[in-house]
Amino acid sequence: MYQLAGKRVYVAGHRGMVGSAIVRRLAQENCELLTSPREVDLREQAAVREWFAANRPDTVVVAAAKVGGILANDSYPAQFLYDNLMIEANVIDAAHRSGAQKLLFLGSSCIYPRMAPQPIPEEALLTGPLEPTNEWYAIAKIAGIKLCQAYRREYGCDFISAMPTNLYGPGDNFDLTSSHVLPALIRKAHEAKVAGAPSIEIWGSGTPRREFLHVDDLADGCIFLLKNYSGEEHINLGSGKDLPIIELAQLVCDVVGFEGQITKDTSKPDGTPRKLMSGDRIAKMGWAPRISLRAGIEDAYRAFLEQQA
Ligand code: GFB
C-alpha cells in the first residue's frame, strides 16, 4: 500500500472540475499539496521541467487536459490531439526526471473501440476502430496510458492509469457549445424554466446510452488507486449503470423542475451508441461509488446555481 500521508502531491489541472475535486479529497490525506502557477503552461516542455526540478513532488496526478463534449471534440481535432499529447508527455516525463515515486494518469472511456462489448472490460483497448467524433482525444489518451506503461517497463516507475467514464459535478463547464451533455441539460432545463419556455432541445436521437460518475466519486476512486494499485493495466472508474440520453434529459428536467416538452435536433451527432464500462476490476479491489445519479444531479444543479450567482 502506498502512503499519501506526509507526501508532496502535485495535481496537474487543479483548477479544472476533476483536479479541484481531487484537491478537495486530498484534504483528508494529511499530505502536502503542490499546485503549479497559471504561468506554467503544461504544453511547454521547458516550463514543466523547470517547475518539476524546483518542486520535486513525490506523487503526481495528471488531471490536466483539453476536454469538451461531442461537438467540441469534433470541431477542434488539432487542439484535442496536440494539447493532450503535450500535457501528458511533459508531465509524465518530468515526473520521472525529478524522481516522483507514484503517478496517476487519467484517461477517458472514449479510448475503447466504438463497438466494444458492453460492459467494456479493460482488455478491449485497441481491439477495434474508435468513435470518429472523439478519436483525436482518444488517441491522445491511449498514448498517455502507453507512456505510463513504457516508463514502468523501461525505468521502473510506479506510474498507473485510470479510465473515468463521463464525469459531471461542481466546477463543470456549462457552456452550451463546448460542454458535455449533463451540464448542457442542466442549463437548458433551468433557462427554459426561468423563461417559461414550452420545450428544451436535446442533440441527436436521444437513444445513445451513457454512464455518468459524480466527480467526487471519481476523486475518491483516484485516491483509492493511488494507495492500493500498482500495475501496468489501466483501471476503469465508473458507476456501473448507464441510461439513454432521453431518460437523462427527463431526470434532469425533474430535478430542475422544468415541466415542458423535450424535442430532438437530429442534425447533431449521436456519437458512440453505448459506452458502459465494466467496473469489475476495481470492485474486486474493494472500491465502489457512493453518489446516486439523482443525488449527483441535484448537487450539480446547486453548483450551477452558485456559479450563476
Ligand atoms: O456528453 P457528450 O457531449 O459526449 O454527448 P460523448 C453525449 C450524448 O448526449 C451524445 C447527446 O449522444 C449527444 O448528442 N446530447 C444531447 C448532448 N443533448 C446534448 C447537449 O445539449 N450537449 C451535448 N454535449 N450533448 C465525449 C467525448 O463523448 O465524452 C469526449 O467527446 C469524452 O472525448 C467524453 O470522452 C467523456 O459522451 O458522446
Side-chain angles (χ1 to χ4, degrees):
M1 182 165 169
Y2 182 74
Q3 292 292 338
L4 281 170
K7 295 278 163 54
R8 293 163 58 77
V9 184
Y10 172 52
V11 180
H14 71 281
R15 290 180 205 87
M17 176 178 75
V18 171
S20 55
I22 292 172
V23 166
R24 286 197 298 278
R25 177 61 186 75
L26 280 169
Q28 299 166 29
E29 295 298 324
N30 205 15
C31 55
E32 184 187 344
L33 190 71
L34 307 179
T35 52
S36 53
R38 227 175 253 283
E39 302 82 79
V40 178
D41 182 334
L42 298 177
R43 293 167 301 186
E44 299 292 336
Q45 187 187 61
V48 176
R49 280 191 184 169
E50 196 180 319
W51 186 88
F52 269 82
N55 292 278
R56 299 200 166 271
D58 306 303
T59 313
V60 177
V61 180
V62 191
K66 166 86 183 168
V67 296
I70 192 164
L71 205 60
N73 268 265
D74 214 16
S75 311
Y76 307 109
Q79 290 178 40
F80 276 84
L81 184 53
Y82 178 84
D83 287 5
N84 286 307
L85 284 173
M86 297 309 284
I87 291 168
E88 67 206 22
N90 288 337
V91 173
I92 291 170
D93 183 67
H96 160 58
R97 283 168 185 263
S98 63
Q101 298 158 13
K102 185 105 193 178
L103 177 145
L104 172 66
F105 170 71
L106 291 177
S108 160
S109 58
C110 68
I111 59 160
Y112 292 115
R114 173 180 163 83
M115 300 314 279
Q118 309 283 326
I120 313 173
E122 282 85 353
E123 296 77 20
L125 183 64
L126 293 172
T127 56
L130 297 164
E131 156 61 33
T133 53
N134 57 35
E135 65 176 313
W136 321 96
Y137 182 70
I139 291 280
K141 290 294 181 183
I142 293 170
I145 300 173
K146 291 292 164 193
L147 272 172
C148 290
Q149 290 177 351
Y151 277 64
R152 280 190 92 81
R153 284 198 192 178
E154 190 170 340
Y155 305 123
C157 300
D158 189 1
F159 291 1
I160 60 172
S161 302
M163 294 306 116
T165 191
N166 288 34
L167 302 169
Y168 69 97
D172 213 338
N173 167 19
F174 291 95
D175 172 72
L176 291 181
T177 51
S178 59
S179 73
H180 290 98
V181 61
L182 209 155
L185 293 176
I186 288 178
R187 179 165 183 174
K188 285 179 182 178
H190 174 77
E191 289 181 351
K193 181 179 84 169
V194 170
S199 62
I200 61 162
E201 190 172 70
I202 63 167
W203 294 354
S205 64
T207 58
R209 300 179 69 95
R210 293 291 184 273
E211 176 189 8
F212 297 93
L213 184 71
H214 190 282
V215 73
D216 288 345
D217 270 340
L218 180 270
D220 191 63
C222 288
I223 303 306
F224 177 87
L225 288 175
L226 276 173
K227 288 179 172 174
N228 296 292
Y229 180 67
S230 174
E232 212 174 73
E233 195 66 61
H234 60 281
I235 304 289
N236 290 343
L237 256 175
S239 61
K241 293 183 197 121
D242 67 349
L243 77 173
I245 294 301
I246 186 70
E247 282 180 26
L248 175 75
Q250 284 153 356
L251 180 57
V252 170
C253 288
D254 198 36
V255 168
V256 169
F258 172 66
E259 290 173 352
Q261 300 296 308
I262 299 171
T263 62
K264 296 170 191 170
D265 174 1
T266 50
S267 70
K268 293 284 195 312
D270 268 347
T272 198
R274 193 177 186 199
K275 49 176 174 179
L276 173 65
M277 296 195 306
S278 164
D280 286 357
R281 202 169 279 191
I282 194 163
K284 279 191 194 117
M285 290 183 230
W287 182 84
R290 296 192 198 118
I291 304 171
S292 72
L293 184 56
R294 189 182 182 96
I297 294 173
E298 286 168 359
D299 183 56
Y301 184 40
R302 257 193 312 274
F304 168 77
L305 293 174
E306 276 165 24
Q307 245 169 275
Q308 297 280 95

